Amino acid sequence: MTHSIPYPLTTSNILQAIDTRYYQFFVQVGLFVWATFYLDVLMHPMHVVLTIAAGVITQIAFSRYFKLPINLLSTLNSMMSILILLHSSSWMWMVLAAIIAISSKFIIRCGDKHIFNPSNIGIVMVLLLVPETWADSGQWGQGMWFILLLASLGLILLLGISRMLTSISFIATFIGLIFIRAYWLDAPLALPLHQLQNGAILIFAFLMLSDPITTPNSAFARIIFGAWIALFSCFLQYQFFVDNAFLYALAVSMPLVLVLNRLFIGKQYHWPRKQRRY
Amino acid sequence: MARFFILLTTFLLGISLISSAQAFYGFYVGKDDKPLFNKSSQVVYVRDGDRNIITMVNNYKGEAKDFALVVPVPTLLKKDEIRIINNATIQRLDDYSAPRLVEYHDSDPCQPSETTYELSITPPAPVVNKAEQLGVEIEAKYTVGEYDILLLSAQESKNLVTFLKSEGYQLPAGAERVISRYIKQDMKFFIAKINLTVFVETGYTKLRPIQIAYDSKRFILPIRLGTLNAKGEQELFVYALARKGQVKITNYRTIKLPTNRELPSYIKKKKLFGKFYKDMFNTQAKKYNKVAFLEYAWNMSHCDLCGAKPLTNKELKELGVFWKDDPVYLSRLHLRYDKKKFPEDLMFQITADHSTFQGSYALHHAFTGAAQCIAGNKYFHKELPKRFKEEIKTLAELTNWKIKDIRKQQGIPKHNTYQTDDWIERIWD
């Protein structure tokens, strides 16, 4: 295990050696607890238990089948994303989202990596297929943008700016677009600021778009990809009045990552623990 | 004399400012006679697929000739897409979904076990039509019930504003910018004025709600025009009716009104429930920024401790519910808005959330009999004071009323302490 200690012992080396997934898990659990106890967004405890159980069981089953080591950290993170973003009137659809999310990692692959962001595809498929589900982008309100921004900065410290370029580029483009729209509408500054402070957008940008596995390998491609998602989301929302447009924009755009990876060569990301095994 | 401009909150172009606070009158709780919220408006929004049926209630008290309602709409409406419905149906919907009091009476401890609006009528002023000269297209003109309806489209907000001004409307400051914003978003303008001849013939003393129906993907309420009213905050009640479940706002947070609290019983005796509701809402609205409040969410087919009976199929149909057999979910949202608090129009989505909610407050009337027993002593000297203390605290927290004043109003009923020499009775004390 000695080789897992970063050398030389600089702050940035230590930070980079920490598996970011612990941090993401911590932030997501924090958000879930905040939503439950402070924002009064109540989810049936059974939904929580069954969603996590379904994700874990699916992960174990596929890992056994493909004879892979069982790693539950990513699974737990995907499940937390589902619990934070998805609502359903029945536990069944939460479980279905969990199963789709995890299965997609093993079934829909190109080369040595999966194509879809697991929680994103799980949520989007269920939203499209089952009328009994919904995503509530209003639930976070406008009051917590500062906390979310701090949490996002933590993620940038851990993953490094380069790996967070999709999120950063998404937010930058989104800000640009809503300010241009406000300028075109001759609306007061309060309008774009209000749109920007929506907790759901920030959670999506920094927790879902930050997944280093499914975003493009090259830093430049990540910038393009983030900007594209912002552009596409705004198009869906303002032209077609689609609710939760950013979730759909990401799901539909994932094949674009394959193209970007061909066009722009970059290094595939691996979680620190996996690196240690080599 | 200048004509005024009313903008019903939602869609309603802010209101003409000259008529001061008379412009909006509003909403009543239960059967109280006094208006609770000034400058309030009510909108019933039935949505299913891309179909939208919106009923706007004109809580207007003033001279009928001064009334005008300006609403941005996504499509040009045909005559049969506009109609008038009865005020009584809206009142029923309000009564059914309003916060309610639930009363309980303690048993003997010794034996365990609308709004009315009056409009003064004056003859209509002659209307001069300058629309064409100004590049404002009068797309349609109808008379529906007591209203004259105009549907306008314009390329330039300046022209529309000039046209409206030439018609005698006093536009609030900033109207042009806001109108321009809606024109850019491809919205048309729906304008309703009172046709006084018809209005007199109908014999009504109060304006009836206008209902419009159209197909559009947009599930929004354009409140920006309403915020132009410089006279501070406005009150909006949205009664959303959907087939699938609760309707939620997607761009603002929605908070549930505090509910299931126990209040001192004098609230009922002194007819203070209306004031309680109003002050509780004030306290909540001050506490939270940029939020809407959920006041009621229920499947219309049944209800628990209803304030009024659920609406009949006929009443629902009048409100625009066009589907049969399937459930009708009502979400009653209440918000207090101004330019700062709500910089963006309200956007909604229908969800499959079937959870129920109602604002419900319990009163326990104390037993007032003699209660000459040991349990009676305990009830009057221990249980009641403890309960009253908690109820007073709850009431003070919810309404910001002074504890001292509440305590003064809620006296503990008198009780002559029961004395007994029977040692067996006393050992259980």
Side-chain angles (χ1 to χ4, degrees), chain B residues 205-242:
Chain B
T205 52
K206 171 180 170 186
L207 290 176
R208 286 176 296 169
I210 306 179
Q211 188 171 80
I212 55 175
Y214 55 83
D215 275 309
S216 173
K217 284 197 188 313
R218 294 186 226 204
F219 191 8
I220 59 166
L221 278 186
I223 58 173
R224 302 302 305 156
L225 288 169
T227 62
L228 289 176
N229 191 339
K231 296 267 172 188
E233 293 170 324
Q234 296 192 38
E235 213 81 18
L236 170 64
F237 293 87
V238 181
Y239 306 85
L241 296 161

Side-chain angles (χ1 to χ4, degrees), chain B residues 79-268:
Chain B
K79 190 173 181 183
D80 61 358
E81 292 168 338
I82 307 164
R83 63 180 196 137
I84 308 302
I85 72 158
N86 290 311
N87 274 303
T89 315
I90 305 290
Q91 190 60 49
R92 283 270 294 118
L93 186 63
D94 183 13
D95 289 346
Y96 166 72
S97 59
R100 71 235 23 214
L101 272 179
V102 185
E103 294 177 69
Y104 299 93
H105 292 267
D106 287 353
S107 56
D108 184 346
C110 298
Q111 291 176 11
S113 54
E114 176 147 335
T115 328
T116 54
Y117 312 96
E118 288 192 12
L119 294 164
S120 55
I121 310 295
T122 41
V127 176
V128 186
N129 188 349
K130 292 179 186 162
E132 274 173 41
Q133 285 160 252
L134 291 164
V136 175
E137 200 85 23
I138 298 183
E139 303 275 357
K141 213 171 175 179
Y142 319 113
T143 299
V144 180
E146 62 266 40
Y147 296 97
D148 280 334
I149 310 276
L150 278 183
L151 279 151
L152 301 178
S153 69
Q155 298 297 319
E156 294 287 334
S157 56
K158 206 191 284 175
N159 297 340
L160 187 63
V161 169
T162 315
F163 169 68
L164 291 170
K165 279 185 180 163
S166 72
E167 290 280 295
Y169 296 109
Q170 298 250 338
L171 291 176
E176 192 179 325
R177 280 181 84 182
V178 177
I179 287 175
S180 145
R181 238 173 275 164
Y182 286 119
I183 290 176
K184 282 176 182 165
Q185 291 175 79
D186 206 19
M187 302 283 262
K188 319 287 183 235
F189 290 87
F190 171 96
I191 300 179
K193 294 182 292 183
I194 298 177
N195 182 318
L196 289 172
T197 321
V198 180
F199 186 54
V200 172
E201 278 168 16
T202 61
Y204 288 104
T205 52
K206 171 180 170 186
L207 290 176
R208 286 176 296 169
I210 306 179
Q211 188 171 80
I212 55 175
Y214 55 83
D215 275 309
S216 173
K217 284 197 188 313
R218 294 186 226 204
F219 191 8
I220 59 166
L221 278 186
I223 58 173
R224 302 302 305 156
L225 288 169
T227 62
L228 289 176
N229 191 339
K231 296 267 172 188
E233 293 170 324
Q234 296 192 38
E235 213 81 18
L236 170 64
F237 293 87
V238 181
Y239 306 85
L241 296 161
R243 198 198 299 241
K244 204 169 91 175
Q246 227 182 82
V247 169
K248 293 179 190 278
I249 299 177
T250 60
N251 57 343
Y252 295 93
R253 190 154 85 89
T254 304
I255 292 178
K256 293 183 180 106
L257 209 63
T259 186
N260 294 330
R261 303 296 170 90
E262 303 205 349
L263 305 176
S265 55
Y266 80 91
I267 292 282
K268 167 79 193 260

Side-chain angles (χ1 to χ4, degrees), chain A residues 88-161:
Chain A
S88 167
S89 53
S90 157
W91 59 268
M92 277 188 292
W93 314 123
M94 300 297 289
V95 165
L96 180 64
I99 295 173
I100 294 174
I102 302 303
S103 312
S104 78
K105 289 203 293 184
F106 293 93
I107 297 171
I108 312 168
R109 298 179 69 87
C110 180
D112 64 343
K113 70 180 213 170
H114 53 268
I115 295 171
F116 289 101
N117 177 313
S119 52
N120 176 249
I121 193 69
I123 292 169
V124 165
M125 289 303 284
V126 167
L127 284 179
L128 288 174
L129 295 173
V130 187
E132 296 298 299
T133 58
W134 69 98
D136 190 354
S137 51
Q139 74 179 48
W140 305 100
Q142 273 69 28
M144 53 191 300
W145 64 273
F146 188 68
I147 297 169
L148 287 168
L149 206 64
L150 280 185
S152 313
L153 288 177
L155 204 55
I156 293 176
L157 271 180
L158 287 169
L159 267 178
I161 283 192

Side-chain angles (χ1 to χ4, degrees), chain B residues 6-58:
Chain B
I6 286 215
L7 307 182
L8 204 99
T9 329
T10 347
F11 295 74
L12 322 193
L13 216 28
I15 299 316
S16 73
L17 298 174
I18 299 192
S19 58
S20 70
Q22 287 291 304
F24 278 116
Y25 256 67
F27 169 72
Y28 297 68
V29 165
K31 306 291 180 203
D32 261 3
D33 280 323
K34 289 173 196 156
L36 284 175
F37 295 102
N38 288 331
K39 290 189 277 183
S40 85
S41 47
Q42 291 161 282
V43 172
V44 183
Y45 201 138
V46 177
R47 164 99 174 181
D48 193 54
D50 288 346
R51 294 186 189 177
N52 305 271
I53 301 107
I54 299 174
T55 311
M56 295 165 282
V57 184
N58 312 311

Side-chain angles (χ1 to χ4, degrees), chain B residues 20 25 28 33 45 49 60 73 107 151 176 216 249 257 259 290 303 320 330-331 334 344-345 371 390 392 403 420:
Chain B
S20 70
Y25 256 67
Y28 297 68
D33 280 323
Y45 201 138
Y60 176 75
V73 284
S107 56
L151 279 151
E176 192 179 325
S216 173
I249 299 177
L257 209 63
T259 186
K290 289 187 173 185
C303 62
L330 166 65
S331 316
H334 181 179
E344 190 177 23
D345 286 336
E390 275 166 21
I392 288 168
I403 286 200
T420 177

Side-chain angles (χ1 to χ4, degrees), chain A residues 53-212:
Chain A
V56 168
I57 291 169
T58 314
Q59 175 79 31
I60 293 174
F62 273 106
S63 302
R64 284 264 165 93
Y65 182 77
F66 289 111
K67 298 198 171 61
L68 292 166
I70 294 165
N71 179 4
L72 293 179
L73 199 47
S74 293
T75 310
L76 290 176
N77 266 327
S78 300
M79 293 309 105
M80 284 316 297
S81 295
I82 290 175
L83 291 174
I84 284 172
L85 295 167
L86 186 68
H87 297 274
S88 167
S89 53
S90 157
W91 59 268
M92 277 188 292
W93 314 123
M94 300 297 289
V95 165
L96 180 64
I99 295 173
I100 294 174
I102 302 303
S103 312
S104 78
K105 289 203 293 184
F106 293 93
I107 297 171
I108 312 168
R109 298 179 69 87
C110 180
D112 64 343
K113 70 180 213 170
H114 53 268
I115 295 171
F116 289 101
N117 177 313
S119 52
N120 176 249
I121 193 69
I123 292 169
V124 165
M125 289 303 284
V126 167
L127 284 179
L128 288 174
L129 295 173
V130 187
E132 296 298 299
T133 58
W134 69 98
D136 190 354
S137 51
Q139 74 179 48
W140 305 100
Q142 273 69 28
M144 53 191 300
W145 64 273
F146 188 68
I147 297 169
L148 287 168
L149 206 64
L150 280 185
S152 313
L153 288 177
L155 204 55
I156 293 176
L157 271 180
L158 287 169
L159 267 178
I161 283 192
S162 171
R163 286 286 162 191
M164 287 294 287
L165 278 174
T166 319
S167 304
I168 295 168
S169 155
F170 169 83
I171 282 290
T173 313
F174 181 73
I175 292 174
L177 290 171
I178 57 175
F179 273 85
I180 290 170
R181 183 172 178 272
Y183 178 76
W184 169 68
L185 287 176
D186 193 20
L189 205 60
L191 174 68
L193 288 179
H194 170 81
Q195 292 167 327
L196 187 60
Q197 286 168 3
N198 187 339
I201 285 279
L202 296 170
I203 287 172
F204 169 75
F206 288 101
L207 288 173
M208 197 169 264
L209 272 186
S210 64
D211 175 20

